[in-house]
Amino acid sequence: MLHSLYEFWTAAAGGTPLEWVAVLTGFACVWLAARESLWNFPVAIVSCGLYIVVYYRAQLYADCLLQGFFIAMGFYGWYAWRYGGAKSTALVVTRTRLWEWAAVAGGVAAFTAAFGYYLQTYTDASLPHWDSFTTAGSLAAQYLLTRKRLENWLLWIVVDLIYVPILWYKQLYPTSGLYAAYLILAVYGYVVWYRASRVATSTETISA
């Protein structure tokens, strides 16, 4: 009985310290992003580097590639948030443009179909199409986040809802719990950024 309880606890707690460090830094970077802190980007770069190893071991190859993209976008977002606004000023929260929604919808559908087929046909990937969809959704959400588009949080909510059961199924229990926490942070981030967008709009109106 005690042996069974120990096995359950160690499984639920995660198999490696590496995953736990990735979890903690991942939570920190999303919380910082929700607070509009520029520090979310360097923390995210560290977390994504760790998750490349975690996801590779779990045969979630699309997510390995996703972490590499996040690292590149982390450097881009770090610069954009600081100098990407008008006259090289800091970015403010804005709404997603219609053409961006069209690009997001088309890109997510195309990537899911094409990369899901590739993973299913040529690799031993687990859940290839679900893995590809969450990867594509995360790519889109991350791009909108680097541009400080309010609706990035809505995409994260959808992606996180799917990630939680996938990661639990793959026995990445701490990471599954992390994505459940991400859901809460995404809602919190949307509320904070919505208020910030209204302030930015009011400021622009007064200036005009």
Side-chain angles (χ1 to χ4, degrees), residues 4-33:
S4 298
L5 288 174
Y6 173 77
E7 288 182 342
F8 174 80
W9 170 253
T10 53
T16 66
L18 179 70
E19 185 182 355
W20 272 108
V21 176
V23 164
L24 294 174
T25 52
F27 181 88
C29 78
V30 175
W31 183 82
L32 289 167

Side-chain angles (χ1 to χ4, degrees), residues 181-196:
Y182 281 170
L183 272 173
I184 299 172
L185 286 175
V187 173
Y188 171 71
Y190 183 84
V191 172
V192 172
W193 282 37
Y194 177 77
R195 293 172 180 168

Side-chain angles (χ1 to χ4, degrees), residues 11-206:
T16 66
L18 179 70
E19 185 182 355
W20 272 108
V21 176
V23 164
L24 294 174
T25 52
F27 181 88
C29 78
V30 175
W31 183 82
L32 289 167
R35 299 295 301 170
E36 289 191 79
S37 171
L38 194 64
W39 284 100
N40 85 86
F41 292 110
V43 175
I45 289 167
V46 172
S47 181
C48 292
L50 297 175
Y51 265 119
I52 288 176
V53 179
V54 172
Y55 286 138
Y56 182 81
R57 291 174 177 174
Q59 297 175 297
L60 294 172
Y61 303 131
D63 282 303
C64 288
L65 295 177
L66 177 63
Q67 302 310 306
F69 173 84
F70 280 167
I71 291 172
M73 291 298 289
F75 285 107
Y76 168 74
W78 200 347
Y79 175 85
W81 275 31
R82 189 160 187 172
Y83 302 110
K87 298 180 180 179
S88 298
T89 58
L91 278 178
V92 297
V93 177
T94 54
R95 306 301 292 264
T96 304
R97 276 53 169 171
L98 182 60
W99 70 265
E100 289 176 320
W101 278 124
V104 163
V108 168
F111 185 94
T112 300
F115 202 61
Y117 172 79
Y118 170 79
L119 291 178
Q120 184 177 43
T121 305
Y122 298 106
T123 76
D124 61 347
S126 180
L127 306 173
H129 285 89
W130 283 111
D131 188 19
S132 297
F133 176 77
T134 52
T135 297
S138 298
L139 291 171
Q142 184 65 22
Y143 168 76
L144 294 180
L145 185 145
T146 61
R147 300 304 307 160
K148 271 203 173 181
R149 305 300 193 208
L150 170 65
E151 291 79 10
N152 86 88
W153 296 111
L154 299 180
L155 289 182
W156 283 124
I157 289 171
V158 173
V159 169
D160 295 341
L161 280 170
I162 298 171
Y163 262 127
V164 170
I166 285 179
L167 293 166
W168 188 270
Y169 170 74
K170 294 302 297 181
Q171 299 183 341
L172 297 173
Y173 302 120
T175 302
S176 179
L178 173 65
Y179 275 83
Y182 281 170
L183 272 173
I184 299 172
L185 286 175
V187 173
Y188 171 71
Y190 183 84
V191 172
V192 172
W193 282 37
Y194 177 77
R195 293 172 180 168
S197 70
R198 295 192 65 179
V199 171
T201 302
S202 300
T203 302
E204 289 178 0
T205 302
I206 293 172

